[in-house]
């Protein structure tokens, strides 16, 4: 991780950790949205099969 000029290593590490947490949260949100879409599609397919 390259440290931008003018900030401490501690601040750079904090920013890096915050960015990683944001990326993990976004990935989890996308997984949840995909699971919801898959469940809706499965429900639609089951209703159409009857």
């Amino acid at each position: 991780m390259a440290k931008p000029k003018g900030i401490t290593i501690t601040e750079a590490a904090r920013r890096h950790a915050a960015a990683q947490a944001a990326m993990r949260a976004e990935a989890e949100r996308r997984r949840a949205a995909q699971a919801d879409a898959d469940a809706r599609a499965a429900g639609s397919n089951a209703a159409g099969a009857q």
Side-chain angles (χ1 to χ4, degrees):
M1 170 177 70
K3 180 179 91 65
K5 286 187 175 263
I7 68 169
T8 64
I9 292 291
T10 302
E11 177 62 13
R14 188 196 64 73
R15 290 182 187 183
H16 180 72
Q20 283 186 322
M23 287 185 282
R24 281 192 298 271
E26 177 63 14
E28 181 57 33
R29 187 196 64 76
R30 287 182 188 209
R31 277 192 293 273
Q34 186 61 53
D36 184 54
D38 290 346
R40 288 175 189 264
S44 295
N45 291 340
Q50 293 177 350

